[in-house]
Amino acid sequence: MNQNVRFYALIGVVLVVVGGMFYLIRGRGGSKTPATTPTAVKQEAKDERERVEAPEITSSRRESRLTATASRPSGPRETTNSAKVGNYAISGQVILQEDESPVEGADVSVYWTDKNAAIQTYDDENVWKARTNVKGFFRVDKLPASQYVVIATKENLAGVSSTAINSREPEDNIVTVALKPSGSISGTVLNDKREPVVGALVALGQGKRGQREIYGGDSQTKSGTDGSFVLDYVEDGTWTVQAKAEGYAVAEVGDLAQNAQGVEIVLKKGGSVSGSVVSVDTTKPVPNVALSLGASGRRDRLNSQKTTTDADGKFEFKDLADGAYGLGLDKQPYIVSGQVPPLTIENANTVDDVKLTVLMGGSISGHATDAVTGTPIVGMSFRAQGGQGGRIDGETDEDGVYRLEGLTAGQYAVRRNWMAGYRHGEDREDKTATVKLGEETTGIDFAVPPGLYLRGRVVDKNGEPLAMVDVTSVDATD
């Protein structure tokens, strides 16, 4: 038994010695210092790797030369708690504002906002989150077409941007977010009885930096159960902070410095405006007319409201702060007849019996078809501009039909906007139309020439993707 033990022990010692010798040989061989490459040679090799040959791309419709395109930046997978799903994406880069260098590891939050709301707000129920990679890139996908607020943060730096996803654009919506030193403003929202107001919307309004007017953009938050709030992403300057809650008028506090604390915003009951919409032609009330009311003469983010007339043509706007307001139609086939009455709220008074007289405006309609196949083009955007200085936008439906309504009488230029897969620029072919009140000008049709849609991926000589490369195509037939 002792002989067996000694035999196995000897075998173990031999294996340890052989393994150690093998490790020393490999380690010594692997520690050889590689030959040094001059810096100039390294740079030349890098430039050669990143040089991309332009492929020739030929189409029966047209020949083009693609000189560069953009690859989709890859980064850590995003997370979301939103039930909203779509087929679009937002990608981009987070950089430092001072030197435009990329920021790795920045937290990016992409918030959905309702593009049709009177006040653009966002919350944690519809947010997509990601983190930038080593080159500062990020990407979130499966987004529905809408407007978005993009917020990037890292340590004491923050940047805010906004963008809109257009259903006519299949590619990623590209944004750049610049980080800069960021502070906050904190305080409490109270009512006139000194009670905390829960869930009040608090937003950064207008401000000043020196003599220059600045705007708080998309910085907002909501007050907590004790009425407290912390408004982040505040740049250097002096600011106005606004607050709004149901049953109260908008209140604001001005001349607040970055990192101000203990701010009290007191909400009070507001005034109201009510009235009716009447047809000039029939002298009868007009139901289902969409109206908008906004503060006059100032950029006031929270003092905007929308409503629709009821079955009797009546409307009402509540909880209005003191000040002057402008009343108007919101995307309607009607136009206002005469002057819109001036509206002023003082000491939370009530303005009743406002009478808005309207008449049926003119309209322009037509078809958009593919000039080669003749098939209808769905979702193409059109604009009519002229008349008395106004403009109206609209899109084609599933039959390729567009209709621009609510136009005053006069001459209009009708043009189509860019859409992927169709030629634009000098091939746009604007048209003119004469509009009369109460009449529809038809037959303003567009046979749109399709374009060569180029889509690809740019890589260097080693096959590594080159992200955020500018896109340029050159007509090779000229």
Side-chain angles (χ1 to χ4, degrees), residues 384-447:
Q385 189 161 0
Q388 297 178 5
R391 70 183 190 190
I392 298 292
D393 297 286
E395 289 188 356
T396 55
D397 59 19
E398 63 273 10
D399 297 318
V401 176
Y402 73 91
R403 191 168 188 268
L404 310 173
E405 56 187 12
L407 303 173
T408 58
Q411 289 286 120
Y412 285 83
V414 183
R415 62 179 53 180
R416 61 181 175 87
N417 295 323
W418 178 87
M419 184 176 186
Y422 292 92
R423 285 159 60 180
H424 202 59
E426 61 187 21
D427 299 311
R428 188 176 59 192
E429 190 188 3
D430 295 349
K431 297 190 176 184
T432 59
T434 301
V435 172
K436 296 181 179 180
L437 295 181
E439 297 183 8
E440 181 173 354
T441 303
T442 61
I444 310 301
D445 301 331
F446 290 78

Short mmCIF file of all heavy atoms in Angstrom, two decimals, residues 384-447:
data_model
loop_
_atom_site.label_atom_id
_atom_site.label_comp_id
_atom_site.label_asym_id
_atom_site.label_seq_id
_atom_site.Cartn_x
_atom_site.Cartn_y
_atom_site.Cartn_z
N ALA A 384 -50.22 72.94 -49.04
CA ALA A 384 -50.73 74.07 -49.84
C ALA A 384 -50.35 75.35 -49.12
O ALA A 384 -50.65 75.51 -47.93
CB ALA A 384 -52.23 73.97 -50.01
N GLN A 385 -49.72 76.27 -49.83
CA GLN A 385 -49.30 77.53 -49.23
C GLN A 385 -49.68 78.69 -50.14
O GLN A 385 -49.44 78.65 -51.34
CB GLN A 385 -47.79 77.52 -48.99
CG GLN A 385 -47.31 78.70 -48.17
CD GLN A 385 -45.94 78.45 -47.57
OE1 GLN A 385 -45.35 77.38 -47.76
NE2 GLN A 385 -45.43 79.41 -46.83
N GLY A 386 -50.29 79.71 -49.54
CA GLY A 386 -50.72 80.86 -50.33
C GLY A 386 -51.92 81.51 -49.69
O GLY A 386 -51.98 81.65 -48.47
N GLY A 387 -52.91 81.88 -50.53
CA GLY A 387 -54.10 82.53 -50.00
C GLY A 387 -53.73 83.80 -49.27
O GLY A 387 -53.09 84.69 -49.83
N GLN A 388 -54.08 83.88 -48.00
CA GLN A 388 -53.76 85.04 -47.16
C GLN A 388 -52.58 84.75 -46.24
O GLN A 388 -52.53 85.18 -45.10
CB GLN A 388 -54.99 85.45 -46.34
CG GLN A 388 -56.17 85.89 -47.21
CD GLN A 388 -57.39 86.23 -46.38
OE1 GLN A 388 -57.37 86.23 -45.16
NE2 GLN A 388 -58.50 86.53 -47.07
N GLY A 389 -51.62 84.00 -46.78
CA GLY A 389 -50.40 83.74 -46.03
C GLY A 389 -50.41 82.47 -45.21
O GLY A 389 -49.44 82.18 -44.50
N GLY A 390 -51.47 81.67 -45.29
CA GLY A 390 -51.53 80.45 -44.49
C GLY A 390 -51.02 79.23 -45.25
O GLY A 390 -50.70 79.28 -46.44
N ARG A 391 -50.92 78.12 -44.53
CA ARG A 391 -50.52 76.87 -45.16
C ARG A 391 -51.25 75.72 -44.46
O ARG A 391 -51.52 75.76 -43.26
CB ARG A 391 -49.02 76.67 -45.10
CG ARG A 391 -48.47 76.38 -43.72
CD ARG A 391 -46.97 76.27 -43.76
NE ARG A 391 -46.44 75.77 -42.50
CZ ARG A 391 -45.16 75.74 -42.18
NH1 ARG A 391 -44.27 76.20 -43.04
NH2 ARG A 391 -44.76 75.26 -41.02
N ILE A 392 -51.55 74.69 -45.23
CA ILE A 392 -52.26 73.52 -44.73
C ILE A 392 -51.51 72.28 -45.20
O ILE A 392 -51.07 72.20 -46.36
CB ILE A 392 -53.71 73.49 -45.24
CG1 ILE A 392 -54.49 74.72 -44.74
CG2 ILE A 392 -54.41 72.21 -44.79
CD1 ILE A 392 -54.73 74.74 -43.25
N ASP A 393 -51.38 71.29 -44.32
CA ASP A 393 -50.71 70.03 -44.66
C ASP A 393 -51.69 68.88 -44.59
O ASP A 393 -52.68 68.91 -43.85
CB ASP A 393 -49.55 69.77 -43.70
CG ASP A 393 -48.47 70.83 -43.80
OD1 ASP A 393 -47.72 70.82 -44.78
OD2 ASP A 393 -48.39 71.68 -42.89
N GLY A 394 -51.40 67.83 -45.36
CA GLY A 394 -52.21 66.63 -45.34
C GLY A 394 -51.48 65.47 -45.97
O GLY A 394 -50.42 65.65 -46.60
N GLU A 395 -52.02 64.26 -45.80
CA GLU A 395 -51.40 63.05 -46.34
C GLU A 395 -52.39 62.26 -47.18
O GLU A 395 -53.60 62.36 -46.98
CB GLU A 395 -50.87 62.16 -45.21
CG GLU A 395 -49.67 62.68 -44.49
CD GLU A 395 -49.10 61.65 -43.53
OE1 GLU A 395 -49.72 60.56 -43.39
OE2 GLU A 395 -48.04 61.90 -42.92
N THR A 396 -51.85 61.45 -48.09
CA THR A 396 -52.70 60.59 -48.91
C THR A 396 -53.20 59.40 -48.10
O THR A 396 -52.50 58.90 -47.21
CB THR A 396 -51.93 60.08 -50.14
OG1 THR A 396 -50.73 59.42 -49.70
CG2 THR A 396 -51.56 61.22 -51.07
N ASP A 397 -54.42 58.96 -48.42
CA ASP A 397 -54.98 57.81 -47.73
C ASP A 397 -54.61 56.52 -48.46
O ASP A 397 -53.73 56.52 -49.32
CB ASP A 397 -56.50 57.96 -47.61
CG ASP A 397 -57.19 58.11 -48.96
OD1 ASP A 397 -56.59 57.75 -50.00
OD2 ASP A 397 -58.34 58.59 -48.99
N GLU A 398 -55.30 55.43 -48.13
CA GLU A 398 -54.96 54.13 -48.73
C GLU A 398 -55.24 54.09 -50.23
O GLU A 398 -54.75 53.20 -50.93
CB GLU A 398 -55.72 53.01 -48.03
CG GLU A 398 -57.24 53.09 -48.14
CD GLU A 398 -57.86 53.95 -47.06
OE1 GLU A 398 -57.12 54.63 -46.34
OE2 GLU A 398 -59.11 53.92 -46.94
N ASP A 399 -56.01 55.04 -50.74
CA ASP A 399 -56.27 55.12 -52.18
C ASP A 399 -55.38 56.14 -52.87
O ASP A 399 -55.57 56.43 -54.06
CB ASP A 399 -57.74 55.48 -52.43
CG ASP A 399 -58.70 54.43 -51.90
OD1 ASP A 399 -58.41 53.23 -52.09
OD2 ASP A 399 -59.72 54.80 -51.30
N GLY A 400 -54.42 56.71 -52.12
CA GLY A 400 -53.53 57.70 -52.71
C GLY A 400 -54.16 59.08 -52.86
O GLY A 400 -53.64 59.91 -53.61
N VAL A 401 -55.26 59.33 -52.16
CA VAL A 401 -55.98 60.60 -52.28
C VAL A 401 -55.61 61.51 -51.12
O VAL A 401 -55.60 61.08 -49.95
CB VAL A 401 -57.50 60.37 -52.30
CG1 VAL A 401 -58.25 61.71 -52.34
CG2 VAL A 401 -57.90 59.50 -53.48
N TYR A 402 -55.29 62.77 -51.40
CA TYR A 402 -55.05 63.76 -50.35
C TYR A 402 -56.11 64.85 -50.45
O TYR A 402 -56.68 65.11 -51.51
CB TYR A 402 -53.64 64.37 -50.48
CG TYR A 402 -53.48 65.33 -51.64
CD1 TYR A 402 -53.71 66.69 -51.48
CD2 TYR A 402 -53.10 64.87 -52.90
CE1 TYR A 402 -53.57 67.58 -52.55
CE2 TYR A 402 -52.96 65.73 -53.98
CZ TYR A 402 -53.19 67.08 -53.79
OH TYR A 402 -53.07 67.95 -54.84
N ARG A 403 -56.36 65.52 -49.33
CA ARG A 403 -57.33 66.61 -49.30
C ARG A 403 -56.85 67.66 -48.32
O ARG A 403 -56.63 67.36 -47.13
CB ARG A 403 -58.72 66.10 -48.90
CG ARG A 403 -59.84 67.13 -49.11
CD ARG A 403 -61.20 66.45 -48.99
NE ARG A 403 -62.29 67.34 -49.35
CZ ARG A 403 -62.94 68.10 -48.49
NH1 ARG A 403 -62.62 68.07 -47.20
NH2 ARG A 403 -63.93 68.88 -48.90
N LEU A 404 -56.66 68.87 -48.80
CA LEU A 404 -56.22 70.00 -47.98
C LEU A 404 -57.40 70.96 -47.85
O LEU A 404 -57.84 71.54 -48.83
CB LEU A 404 -55.02 70.68 -48.64
CG LEU A 404 -53.87 69.75 -49.06
CD1 LEU A 404 -52.82 70.52 -49.84
CD2 LEU A 404 -53.27 69.08 -47.85
N GLU A 405 -57.88 71.13 -46.61
CA GLU A 405 -59.11 71.90 -46.42
C GLU A 405 -58.91 73.03 -45.42
O GLU A 405 -57.87 73.16 -44.78
CB GLU A 405 -60.24 70.98 -45.96
CG GLU A 405 -59.92 70.18 -44.72
CD GLU A 405 -60.99 69.16 -44.39
OE1 GLU A 405 -61.87 68.91 -45.26
OE2 GLU A 405 -60.96 68.62 -43.28
N GLY A 406 -59.94 73.87 -45.31
CA GLY A 406 -59.86 75.02 -44.42
C GLY A 406 -59.04 76.15 -45.02
O GLY A 406 -58.34 76.88 -44.30
N LEU A 407 -59.12 76.32 -46.34
CA LEU A 407 -58.32 77.32 -47.05
C LEU A 407 -59.14 78.58 -47.33
O LEU A 407 -60.32 78.50 -47.65
CB LEU A 407 -57.81 76.74 -48.37
CG LEU A 407 -56.97 75.45 -48.28
CD1 LEU A 407 -56.68 74.92 -49.67
CD2 LEU A 407 -55.67 75.71 -47.54
N THR A 408 -58.48 79.72 -47.22
CA THR A 408 -59.10 80.97 -47.65
C THR A 408 -59.03 81.06 -49.18
O THR A 408 -58.31 80.30 -49.83
CB THR A 408 -58.38 82.17 -47.03
OG1 THR A 408 -57.00 82.15 -47.43
CG2 THR A 408 -58.47 82.14 -45.52
N ALA A 409 -59.79 81.98 -49.75
CA ALA A 409 -59.80 82.13 -51.22
C ALA A 409 -58.47 82.69 -51.70
O ALA A 409 -57.83 83.51 -51.03
CB ALA A 409 -60.94 83.04 -51.63
N GLY A 410 -58.05 82.22 -52.89
CA GLY A 410 -56.81 82.75 -53.46
C GLY A 410 -56.02 81.70 -54.21
O GLY A 410 -56.48 80.56 -54.44
N GLN A 411 -54.81 82.07 -54.63
CA GLN A 411 -53.91 81.17 -55.35
C GLN A 411 -53.00 80.45 -54.36
O GLN A 411 -52.48 81.04 -53.43
CB GLN A 411 -53.04 81.97 -56.33
CG GLN A 411 -53.80 82.51 -57.53
CD GLN A 411 -54.14 81.41 -58.52
OE1 GLN A 411 -55.31 81.16 -58.81
NE2 GLN A 411 -53.12 80.75 -59.04
N TYR A 412 -52.81 79.16 -54.62
CA TYR A 412 -51.97 78.34 -53.75
C TYR A 412 -50.94 77.57 -54.55
O TYR A 412 -51.21 77.13 -55.69
CB TYR A 412 -52.82 77.34 -52.95
CG TYR A 412 -53.58 77.96 -51.81
CD1 TYR A 412 -54.80 78.58 -52.04
CD2 TYR A 412 -53.08 77.94 -50.52
CE1 TYR A 412 -55.51 79.16 -51.01
CE2 TYR A 412 -53.80 78.52 -49.47
CZ TYR A 412 -55.00 79.12 -49.72
OH TYR A 412 -55.71 79.71 -48.70
N ALA A 413 -49.78 77.39 -53.95
CA ALA A 413 -48.77 76.48 -54.48
C ALA A 413 -48.92 75.16 -53.73
O ALA A 413 -48.93 75.14 -52.49
CB ALA A 413 -47.37 77.05 -54.28
N VAL A 414 -49.06 74.08 -54.48
CA VAL A 414 -49.21 72.76 -53.89
C VAL A 414 -47.95 71.96 -54.18
O VAL A 414 -47.53 71.84 -55.33
CB VAL A 414 -50.44 72.02 -54.46
CG1 VAL A 414 -50.62 70.68 -53.76
CG2 VAL A 414 -51.69 72.88 -54.32
N ARG A 415 -47.35 71.43 -53.13
CA ARG A 415 -46.12 70.66 -53.31
C ARG A 415 -46.14 69.41 -52.45
O ARG A 415 -46.80 69.35 -51.42
CB ARG A 415 -44.90 71.51 -52.94
CG ARG A 415 -44.85 71.97 -51.50
CD ARG A 415 -43.58 72.78 -51.22
NE ARG A 415 -43.44 73.86 -52.16
CZ ARG A 415 -42.41 74.72 -52.13
NH1 ARG A 415 -41.48 74.59 -51.21
NH2 ARG A 415 -42.34 75.69 -53.00
N ARG A 416 -45.43 68.43 -52.91
CA ARG A 416 -45.29 67.19 -52.14
C ARG A 416 -43.99 67.24 -51.35
O ARG A 416 -43.01 67.83 -51.79
CB ARG A 416 -45.31 65.97 -53.06
CG ARG A 416 -44.17 65.92 -54.07
CD ARG A 416 -44.26 64.69 -54.94
NE ARG A 416 -43.25 64.68 -55.99
CZ ARG A 416 -42.03 64.20 -55.86
NH1 ARG A 416 -41.65 63.68 -54.70
NH2 ARG A 416 -41.17 64.23 -56.88
N ASN A 417 -44.02 66.59 -50.20
CA ASN A 417 -42.82 66.51 -49.39
C ASN A 417 -42.05 65.23 -49.71
O ASN A 417 -42.57 64.31 -50.34
CB ASN A 417 -43.18 66.54 -47.90
CG ASN A 417 -43.79 67.86 -47.50
OD1 ASN A 417 -43.39 68.92 -47.99
ND2 ASN A 417 -44.77 67.82 -46.61
N TRP A 418 -40.81 65.20 -49.24
CA TRP A 418 -39.95 64.04 -49.51
C TRP A 418 -40.54 62.75 -48.97
O TRP A 418 -41.14 62.73 -47.88
CB TRP A 418 -38.58 64.26 -48.88
CG TRP A 418 -37.64 63.10 -49.07
CD1 TRP A 418 -36.81 62.88 -50.13
CD2 TRP A 418 -37.47 61.99 -48.19
NE1 TRP A 418 -36.12 61.70 -49.95
CE2 TRP A 418 -36.50 61.13 -48.77
CE3 TRP A 418 -38.05 61.64 -46.98
CZ2 TRP A 418 -36.09 59.95 -48.17
CZ3 TRP A 418 -37.64 60.44 -46.37
CH2 TRP A 418 -36.67 59.62 -46.97
N MET A 419 -40.36 61.67 -49.72
CA MET A 419 -40.76 60.35 -49.26
C MET A 419 -39.78 59.34 -49.82
O MET A 419 -39.37 59.41 -50.98
CB MET A 419 -42.19 60.02 -49.72
CG MET A 419 -42.71 58.70 -49.19
SD MET A 419 -44.44 58.43 -49.68
CE MET A 419 -44.81 56.93 -48.77
N ALA A 420 -39.36 58.42 -48.98
CA ALA A 420 -38.38 57.42 -49.39
C ALA A 420 -38.89 56.64 -50.60
O ALA A 420 -40.04 56.22 -50.65
CB ALA A 420 -38.09 56.45 -48.23
N GLY A 421 -38.00 56.44 -51.57
CA GLY A 421 -38.34 55.67 -52.76
C GLY A 421 -38.80 56.50 -53.93
O GLY A 421 -39.07 55.94 -55.01
N TYR A 422 -38.89 57.84 -53.75
CA TYR A 422 -39.37 58.71 -54.83
C TYR A 422 -38.44 59.91 -54.98
O TYR A 422 -37.90 60.41 -54.00
CB TYR A 422 -40.80 59.16 -54.57
CG TYR A 422 -41.78 58.01 -54.67
CD1 TYR A 422 -42.13 57.30 -53.54
CD2 TYR A 422 -42.29 57.61 -55.90
CE1 TYR A 422 -43.00 56.22 -53.62
CE2 TYR A 422 -43.15 56.54 -56.00
CZ TYR A 422 -43.50 55.84 -54.86
OH TYR A 422 -44.34 54.77 -54.95
N ARG A 423 -38.27 60.33 -56.22
CA ARG A 423 -37.35 61.42 -56.52
C ARG A 423 -37.92 62.75 -56.02
O ARG A 423 -39.12 62.96 -55.99
CB ARG A 423 -37.06 61.46 -58.02
CG ARG A 423 -36.11 60.34 -58.45
CD ARG A 423 -36.19 60.03 -59.91
NE ARG A 423 -35.87 61.18 -60.75
CZ ARG A 423 -35.88 61.13 -62.08
NH1 ARG A 423 -36.17 60.00 -62.70
NH2 ARG A 423 -35.58 62.20 -62.78
N HIS A 424 -36.99 63.62 -55.63
CA HIS A 424 -37.38 64.90 -55.05
C HIS A 424 -36.52 65.99 -55.69
O HIS A 424 -36.06 65.84 -56.81
CB HIS A 424 -37.21 64.86 -53.53
CG HIS A 424 -38.05 65.87 -52.81
ND1 HIS A 424 -39.42 65.89 -52.90
CD2 HIS A 424 -37.72 66.88 -51.99
CE1 HIS A 424 -39.90 66.88 -52.16
NE2 HIS A 424 -38.88 67.51 -51.60
N GLY A 425 -36.35 67.09 -54.97
CA GLY A 425 -35.51 68.17 -55.50
C GLY A 425 -36.10 68.76 -56.77
O GLY A 425 -37.26 69.15 -56.83
N GLU A 426 -35.29 68.79 -57.83
CA GLU A 426 -35.73 69.40 -59.09
C GLU A 426 -36.82 68.58 -59.77
O GLU A 426 -37.49 69.05 -60.69
CB GLU A 426 -34.54 69.54 -60.04
CG GLU A 426 -33.89 68.23 -60.41
CD GLU A 426 -32.63 68.41 -61.21
OE1 GLU A 426 -32.04 69.51 -61.15
OE2 GLU A 426 -32.24 67.46 -61.91
N ASP A 427 -37.01 67.33 -59.31
CA ASP A 427 -38.07 66.49 -59.88
C ASP A 427 -39.38 66.62 -59.12
O ASP A 427 -40.31 65.85 -59.35
CB ASP A 427 -37.63 65.01 -59.85
CG ASP A 427 -36.37 64.78 -60.67
OD1 ASP A 427 -36.34 65.23 -61.83
OD2 ASP A 427 -35.42 64.16 -60.15
N ARG A 428 -39.48 67.59 -58.20
CA ARG A 428 -40.65 67.66 -57.34
C ARG A 428 -41.91 68.11 -58.07
O ARG A 428 -43.00 67.67 -57.77
CB ARG A 428 -40.36 68.61 -56.17
CG ARG A 428 -41.42 68.61 -55.11
CD ARG A 428 -41.01 69.49 -53.95
NE ARG A 428 -40.78 70.87 -54.37
CZ ARG A 428 -40.19 71.77 -53.61
NH1 ARG A 428 -39.73 71.44 -52.42
NH2 ARG A 428 -40.04 73.01 -54.04
N GLU A 429 -41.80 69.04 -59.00
CA GLU A 429 -42.92 69.52 -59.82
C GLU A 429 -44.06 70.09 -58.98
O GLU A 429 -45.11 69.47 -58.80
CB GLU A 429 -43.46 68.40 -60.71
CG GLU A 429 -44.47 68.92 -61.76
CD GLU A 429 -45.16 67.81 -62.51
OE1 GLU A 429 -44.91 66.62 -62.20
OE2 GLU A 429 -45.98 68.13 -63.38
N ASP A 430 -43.85 71.30 -58.42
CA ASP A 430 -44.93 71.99 -57.70
C ASP A 430 -46.06 72.37 -58.67
O ASP A 430 -45.82 72.60 -59.86
CB ASP A 430 -44.40 73.25 -57.03
CG ASP A 430 -43.39 72.92 -55.94
OD1 ASP A 430 -43.26 71.74 -55.59
OD2 ASP A 430 -42.71 73.86 -55.47
N LYS A 431 -47.27 72.47 -58.12
CA LYS A 431 -48.42 72.85 -58.95
C LYS A 431 -49.16 74.00 -58.29
O LYS A 431 -49.02 74.26 -57.10
CB LYS A 431 -49.34 71.65 -59.15
CG LYS A 431 -48.67 70.50 -59.92
CD LYS A 431 -49.66 69.44 -60.31
CE LYS A 431 -48.98 68.37 -61.17
NZ LYS A 431 -49.94 67.35 -61.65
N THR A 432 -49.98 74.68 -59.08
CA THR A 432 -50.77 75.80 -58.56
C THR A 432 -52.25 75.46 -58.62
O THR A 432 -52.69 74.67 -59.47
CB THR A 432 -50.50 77.09 -59.37
OG1 THR A 432 -50.84 76.86 -60.73
CG2 THR A 432 -49.05 77.50 -59.25
N ALA A 433 -53.01 76.06 -57.73
CA ALA A 433 -54.46 75.82 -57.68
C ALA A 433 -55.15 77.09 -57.23
O ALA A 433 -54.64 77.83 -56.37
CB ALA A 433 -54.78 74.68 -56.73
N THR A 434 -56.31 77.35 -57.79
CA THR A 434 -57.14 78.49 -57.39
C THR A 434 -58.25 77.99 -56.49
O THR A 434 -58.99 77.05 -56.84
CB THR A 434 -57.74 79.18 -58.63
OG1 THR A 434 -56.67 79.62 -59.48
CG2 THR A 434 -58.57 80.38 -58.21
N VAL A 435 -58.38 78.61 -55.32
CA VAL A 435 -59.34 78.16 -54.33
C VAL A 435 -60.44 79.20 -54.16
O VAL A 435 -60.17 80.40 -54.07
CB VAL A 435 -58.63 77.91 -52.97
CG1 VAL A 435 -59.65 77.63 -51.87
CG2 VAL A 435 -57.64 76.77 -53.10
N LYS A 436 -61.69 78.72 -54.10
CA LYS A 436 -62.85 79.55 -53.80
C LYS A 436 -63.52 79.02 -52.54
O LYS A 436 -63.54 77.81 -52.30
CB LYS A 436 -63.84 79.55 -54.97
CG LYS A 436 -63.29 80.16 -56.24
CD LYS A 436 -64.33 80.14 -57.36
CE LYS A 436 -63.78 80.77 -58.64
NZ LYS A 436 -64.80 80.75 -59.72
N LEU A 437 -64.06 79.92 -51.74
CA LEU A 437 -64.70 79.51 -50.49
C LEU A 437 -65.87 78.57 -50.75
O LEU A 437 -66.67 78.80 -51.67
CB LEU A 437 -65.19 80.75 -49.72
CG LEU A 437 -64.11 81.70 -49.21
CD1 LEU A 437 -64.74 82.85 -48.45
CD2 LEU A 437 -63.11 80.97 -48.32
N GLY A 438 -65.94 77.54 -49.94
CA GLY A 438 -67.05 76.59 -50.04
C GLY A 438 -66.94 75.65 -51.22
O GLY A 438 -67.86 74.84 -51.44
N GLU A 439 -65.85 75.71 -51.98
CA GLU A 439 -65.69 74.84 -53.14
C GLU A 439 -64.42 74.01 -53.01
O GLU A 439 -63.46 74.42 -52.34
CB GLU A 439 -65.66 75.66 -54.42
CG GLU A 439 -66.94 76.44 -54.70
CD GLU A 439 -66.88 77.19 -56.01
OE1 GLU A 439 -65.91 76.97 -56.78
OE2 GLU A 439 -67.79 78.00 -56.28
N GLU A 440 -64.43 72.87 -53.70
CA GLU A 440 -63.26 71.99 -53.70
C GLU A 440 -62.61 72.02 -55.08
O GLU A 440 -63.28 71.78 -56.10
CB GLU A 440 -63.65 70.56 -53.34
CG GLU A 440 -62.45 69.61 -53.29
CD GLU A 440 -62.81 68.23 -52.76
OE1 GLU A 440 -63.98 68.05 -52.31
OE2 GLU A 440 -61.95 67.36 -52.78
N THR A 441 -61.34 72.34 -55.11
CA THR A 441 -60.56 72.31 -56.35
C THR A 441 -59.96 70.92 -56.49
O THR A 441 -59.09 70.53 -55.70
CB THR A 441 -59.44 73.36 -56.32
OG1 THR A 441 -60.02 74.65 -56.12
CG2 THR A 441 -58.67 73.36 -57.62
N THR A 442 -60.44 70.18 -57.47
CA THR A 442 -60.03 68.78 -57.62
C THR A 442 -59.04 68.63 -58.77
O THR A 442 -58.77 69.56 -59.53
CB THR A 442 -61.26 67.90 -57.89
OG1 THR A 442 -61.89 68.33 -59.10
CG2 THR A 442 -62.26 68.01 -56.75
N GLY A 443 -58.52 67.43 -58.89
CA GLY A 443 -57.66 67.08 -60.02
C GLY A 443 -56.24 67.60 -59.94
O GLY A 443 -55.52 67.60 -60.95
N ILE A 444 -55.79 68.02 -58.76
CA ILE A 444 -54.39 68.44 -58.61
C ILE A 444 -53.59 67.17 -58.32
O ILE A 444 -53.24 66.86 -57.17
CB ILE A 444 -54.23 69.49 -57.51
CG1 ILE A 444 -55.24 70.62 -57.69
CG2 ILE A 444 -52.81 70.05 -57.49
CD1 ILE A 444 -55.11 71.34 -59.03
N ASP A 445 -53.36 66.42 -59.38
CA ASP A 445 -52.76 65.09 -59.26
C ASP A 445 -51.25 65.14 -59.46
O ASP A 445 -50.72 66.00 -60.17
CB ASP A 445 -53.38 64.14 -60.27
CG ASP A 445 -54.89 64.00 -60.10
OD1 ASP A 445 -55.36 64.15 -58.95
OD2 ASP A 445 -55.58 63.75 -61.10
N PHE A 446 -50.59 64.16 -58.88
CA PHE A 446 -49.14 64.04 -58.98
C PHE A 446 -48.78 62.62 -59.39
O PHE A 446 -49.12 61.66 -58.68
CB PHE A 446 -48.46 64.37 -57.65
CG PHE A 446 -48.52 65.82 -57.27
CD1 PHE A 446 -49.68 66.37 -56.73
CD2 PHE A 446 -47.42 66.64 -57.44
CE1 PHE A 446 -49.74 67.70 -56.36
CE2 PHE A 446 -47.47 67.98 -57.08
CZ PHE A 446 -48.64 68.51 -56.55
N ALA A 447 -48.12 62.50 -60.54
CA ALA A 447 -47.52 61.23 -60.94
C ALA A 447 -46.06 61.32 -60.55
O ALA A 447 -45.26 62.01 -61.18
CB ALA A 447 -47.67 60.99 -62.44
#
